[in-house]
Amino acid sequence: MIGRRTLIASGLAAATLRPARARQPSPRLRAMSFNVRLPIASDGDDYWPNRARLFFDTVRAADPDIVGTQELFKLQGDAWIAALPGWAWFGIDRRGGHADEHMGVFYRHDRLRVIDLGNFWLSETPDVLASISWGHPLPRMATWGLFERIADGRRFHLFNTHFPYRAEDEAARTRCAGVIADRIAAIAGPGPVVLTGDFNTGPDSEAHAVLTRDLADARGAAQTVEGPEGTFHGFEGTPGKRIDWLLTRGFAVERFATIDANTDGRYPSDHFPVLADLRFNG
């Protein structure tokens, strides 16, 4: 069975727990979802080596505490750790190794520490590595971690995923959402949760409805919203459908942003990253 403590970690670093300061307001937790776009030479000018520096500059400027990524290859994850000191990541690929796409979870190890972690597949047999159901062609999975904030000991779970992409996979995406919802209930119980992902469908979908029965869409819940609504742009910069979501439970959402920054019309990925500033309820 593939479950807890089964992910191969890269760059994990220990951190020392410090007591929270008395009567200080709870610090914000800044979470991001970012489809990094796999490193494929046919992207030409947008091939990973040509945009890696811009990608890392985008992350650095946003200053998140934690990031759920999609389409990540190990070479990109390792480059992130080399370029941005203070970060660590974990994950295996959708086939159980390191040669394919990962749902890599990145976090600032000076701000957060990992208590537990695991993964499951979006299928009728979630604990079977690389399992596929419902007619879509590729394994789809979720990677999760239980994190503790070093500043005050507050804990939360992050789940990160990537749903099937074809137009004819809408029913499969709904089934995938059901698996995610069931596993969040089983793993996180009633505790605080952040769900990041490329869901390959919009907020008007049944998949979104399934997930928002228990989770809040951070864009809709935020006190302030910045940036375009759409997230996929195909390296063109024109926002299309909002397929990248950040959903939460147990948090107040102070700010939500879709980051469409570019340099001379060049973008770090074919998706805009989305970011939310969160504060624990209670």
Side-chain angles (χ1 to χ4, degrees):
M1 177 179 289
I2 305 296
R4 300 172 188 263
R5 294 287 180 185
T6 59
L7 294 183
I8 301 171
S10 176
L12 289 172
T16 303
L17 183 63
R18 297 192 297 272
R21 296 177 180 178
R23 294 185 296 277
Q24 291 294 316
S26 173
R28 66 109 170 101
L29 176 73
R30 179 167 288 176
M32 175 183 274
S33 185
F34 206 160
N35 183 317
V36 306
R37 177 61 179 173
L38 73 164
I40 185 169
S42 60
D43 280 343
D45 290 343
D46 296 310
Y47 184 30
W48 169 251
N50 301 328
R51 58 186 172 88
R53 181 174 179 179
L54 177 56
F55 182 92
F56 299 135
D57 286 347
T58 301
V59 173
R60 185 184 294 110
D63 190 30
D65 300 301
I66 192 163
V67 185
T69 67
Q70 305 85 41
E71 292 194 29
L72 180 88
F73 273 67
K74 188 174 184 295
L75 66 90
Q76 294 169 302
D78 292 344
W80 181 325
I81 300 307
L84 300 177
W87 284 89
W89 78 282
F90 59 83
I92 57 174
D93 71 31
R94 59 191 176 185
R95 302 185 191 277
H98 284 297
D100 204 337
E101 296 178 17
H102 298 59
M103 301 300 102
V105 175
F106 291 75
Y107 64 99
R108 286 288 303 261
H109 62 72
D110 57 337
R111 303 174 187 173
L112 300 170
R113 65 175 178 176
V114 179
I115 304 301
D116 200 1
L117 50 84
N119 64 96
F120 55 89
W121 275 261
L122 307 183
S123 73
E124 293 178 350
T125 53
D127 293 313
V128 176
L129 187 150
S131 54
I132 303 174
S133 302
W134 315 311
H136 56 89
L138 297 167
R140 296 294 177 175
M141 66 178 295
T143 295
W144 62 270
L146 170 59
F147 290 88
E148 183 174 84
R149 189 160 58 183
I150 293 168
D152 57 9
R154 299 295 296 263
R155 292 187 176 189
F156 68 96
H157 283 83
L158 181 129
F159 293 78
N160 178 48
T161 194
H162 190 182
F163 280 11
Y165 69 97
R166 302 180 306 174
E168 59 265 37
D169 292 331
E170 193 65 24
R173 286 188 282 271
T174 301
R175 298 291 292 273
C176 290
V179 174
I180 293 281
D182 289 345
R183 285 299 172 114
I184 287 176
I187 294 169
V193 167
V194 177
L195 171 62
T196 56
D198 172 0
F199 296 88
N200 274 310
T201 193
D204 57 346
S205 64
E206 183 62 24
H208 187 272
V210 168
L211 291 169
T212 54
R213 289 170 190 160
D214 188 49
L215 306 175
D217 189 320
R219 182 179 178 88
Q223 297 173 23
T224 62
V225 176
E226 302 169 12
E229 182 175 0
T231 58
F232 178 75
H233 61 92
F235 289 113
E236 298 296 324
T238 301
K241 202 167 187 178
R242 182 162 75 94
I243 62 175
D244 301 271
W245 312 335
L246 198 156
L247 309 181
T248 72
R249 184 183 68 200
F251 294 97
V253 186
E254 294 188 337
R255 169 178 170 259
F256 181 92
T258 302
I259 300 173
D260 59 352
N262 67 89
T263 299
D264 299 325
R266 306 309 297 272
Y267 293 86
S269 177
D270 59 342
H271 291 238
F272 296 136
V274 296
L275 179 146
D277 283 345
L278 311 172
R279 291 191 188 275
F280 284 92
N281 290 336

